[in-house]
Amino acid sequence: QSEHQTGLAVDVSSPSVGYQLSSDYGRMTEGKWLAEHAYQFGFILRFPEGKEHITGYQYEPWHIRYVGPAAAKEIYEQGLTLEEFLQQNDIESR
């Protein structure tokens, strides 16, 4: 049931957190850059902080998912989760 099995999700890390998957990554320069720029490449931060009650997952600043450039830009600019975007656009989750 992992999003990684879809081929659309990837985990990103860096030396600043010892290449670990840690919530600390979101406070590091690399993690901040990823959160601010992933949408420019069609990716979203899949499980953002403060949206755990919507996604059902803890904050994971390392987990990004490809949704395409147009959707990623809308999700980023509106501060949505994928769930909120799908609901807002009446799209069934897969």
Side-chain angles (χ1 to χ4, degrees), residues 37-61:
H37 296 279
Y39 81 93
Q40 296 170 337
F41 304 93
F43 288 87
I44 60 167
L45 199 63
R46 182 61 181 95
F47 304 117
E49 192 167 29
K51 299 276 189 150
E52 295 86 353
H53 63 287
I54 297 169
T55 65
Y57 286 85
Q58 70 180 22
Y59 169 54
E60 294 186 359

Side-chain angles (χ1 to χ4, degrees), residues 20-41:
Q20 298 299 308
L21 301 180
S22 164
S23 61
D24 291 338
Y25 181 69
R27 292 189 295 277
M28 301 296 145
T29 301
E30 303 94 320
K32 289 177 185 178
W33 186 93
L34 184 66
E36 293 172 8
H37 296 279
Y39 81 93
Q40 296 170 337
F41 304 93

